[in-house]
Amino acid sequence: MARVLTYAPKDTWIHRLSGVTKMIFFLLWSIAGMLTYDTRVLAVMLAFSLVIFKVSKTEWKQVGTVFKFILFFLFLNLLTIFLFSPFQGTEIYGTKTVLFHIAGHYSMTTEQLFYEFNIMLKYFTVVPVVLMFMVTTNPSELAASMNRLGISYNIGYSIAIALRYVPDVQADFSKIKHAQEARGIEMSSKTSLFKRLKRMANIIFPLIFSSMDRIDVVSNAMELRGFGKNKKRTWYMGKKLQRNDYLTLAFVICFVIAAMVFTFYDGSRFYNPFQ
């Protein structure tokens, strides 16, 4: 079974960056992507995101499953926006150019298509950076980075354990699935999707119980070692900022400031090509 969203050590300059640098980059990049609706800014951010994703040497098998789920929810989001607010784009851009009538009060307009295209761009701008951040950052280093940013080490360590537990959950899922198939329960694509989903319960419940047992073991081990007794702790995986870290931070800060200035210079965060 392919390991999904798990850290894979590789020799790239992105992997060598400090977790603090990658977390600040991720946060600032996400904030910029959420705030702007300027298509030009989003297009530039998308280009940078794809280049960064390519440089990180992230493999499709690491993120493919999650990316497909994101595409599915993106489709639902775009469809829901149109169903509940089919003329949101016309209200934003101030014009109405009907392409074709669908039914009732539903008509497809150029403005609505452009508005939903920007929403799609926002997804594709942030998603590669999120996936890259997940697969290039060691969980222990991530916990140390969160603590350096002022977040309680209890929270950081909890997130690190959760990320480290993902490969174990996937391995347990694969083992239980193979055990069910050995008993004659068909779980492959040879059977219908409905039957596969129904038989998935035979995997989910054992997986939950095994996960609870593992959580109990880990929590008892941490309690026996006095975890949480002190307000501060040291970190084995903590990294000091190097030259590339400072250059990356300078780039993302300057880019986000320039993007926000470019977005709001006319008083609106929407780029309007219809005026």
Side-chain angles (χ1 to χ4, degrees):
M1 182 180 179
R3 296 297 178 91
V4 181
L5 282 187
T6 56
Y7 169 68
K10 297 178 182 178
D11 187 21
T12 69
W13 67 271
I14 293 179
H15 284 76
R16 291 191 292 269
L17 290 175
S18 169
V20 175
T21 302
K22 284 184 276 191
M23 174 163 282
I24 293 176
F25 185 96
F26 161 68
L27 292 175
L28 292 179
W29 197 262
S30 300
I31 291 172
M34 288 185 290
L35 289 177
T36 184
Y37 273 89
D38 193 305
T39 312
R40 298 162 295 182
V41 174
L42 289 173
V44 174
M45 292 181 68
L46 175 61
F48 274 115
S49 296
L50 295 178
V51 170
I52 293 171
F53 187 80
K54 180 68 175 178
V55 171
S56 68
K57 296 182 180 180
T58 301
E59 300 177 6
W60 175 252
K61 64 182 180 181
Q62 295 178 272
V63 299
T65 302
V66 177
F67 188 73
K68 291 176 183 177
F69 275 108
I70 293 173
L71 286 180
F72 174 71
F73 285 109
L74 170 60
F75 172 77
L76 288 182
N77 187 21
L78 296 177
L79 180 62
T80 304
I81 290 173
F82 181 75
L83 290 177
F84 287 94
S85 185
F87 297 106
Q88 181 69 31
T90 62
E91 296 177 7
I92 292 173
Y93 301 113
T95 59
K96 184 176 181 181
T97 307
V98 178
L99 295 176
F100 54 88
H101 179 70
I102 300 176
H105 70 286
Y106 288 101
S107 295
M108 181 58 67
T109 64
T110 305
E111 291 79 6
Q112 185 69 18
L113 279 177
F114 187 70
Y115 170 65
E116 298 204 10
F117 171 73
N118 283 322
I119 293 178
M120 183 178 67
L121 270 183
K122 290 164 76 71
Y123 270 81
F124 289 145
T125 295
V126 176
V127 166
V129 175
V130 174
L131 299 179
M132 179 274 299
F133 174 73
M134 296 291 291
V135 301
T136 63
T137 307
N138 187 298
S140 297
E141 186 185 346
L142 174 62
S145 302
M146 295 177 67
N147 188 228
R148 288 186 63 182
L149 293 176
I151 300 174
S152 170
Y153 74 85
N154 294 288
I155 298 175
Y157 207 79
S158 299
I159 295 176
I161 290 177
L163 292 176
R164 285 190 176 278
Y165 188 50
V166 170
D168 295 332
V169 173
Q170 296 180 45
D172 288 345
F173 179 88
S174 182
K175 291 177 182 177
I176 297 172
K177 179 183 176 183
H178 292 158
Q180 296 292 348
E181 289 176 335
R183 294 182 176 91
I185 300 176
E186 185 61 59
M187 304 289 292
S188 66
S189 58
K190 295 180 181 179
T191 187
S192 65
L193 178 61
F194 178 75
K195 288 184 178 180
R196 275 185 286 166
L197 292 176
K198 185 178 180 180
R199 291 169 180 173
M200 198 66 68
N202 296 325
I203 299 178
I204 297 300
F205 289 111
L207 187 63
I208 292 175
F209 292 136
S210 65
S211 299
M212 292 178 65
D213 289 339
R214 186 168 294 164
I215 291 171
D216 186 57
V217 171
V218 172
S219 61
N220 287 336
M222 294 174 66
E223 185 176 356
L224 288 173
R225 287 166 174 78
F227 182 82
K229 179 181 178 181
N230 300 319
K231 293 183 179 181
K232 295 183 179 181
R233 58 161 293 167
T234 57
W235 297 95
Y236 176 73
M237 292 297 296
K239 279 186 181 180
K240 294 183 178 180
L241 298 183
Q242 305 294 330
R243 182 177 66 90
N244 287 344
D245 292 290
Y246 290 113
L247 290 175
T248 302
L249 291 175
F251 164 77
V252 70
I253 291 173
C254 292
F255 181 87
V256 170
I257 292 175
M260 293 299 97
V261 171
F262 191 80
T263 298
F264 293 101
Y265 78 96
D266 59 352
S268 174
R269 60 181 180 147
F270 295 91
Y271 168 62
N272 191 348
F274 303 102
Q275 291 182 345

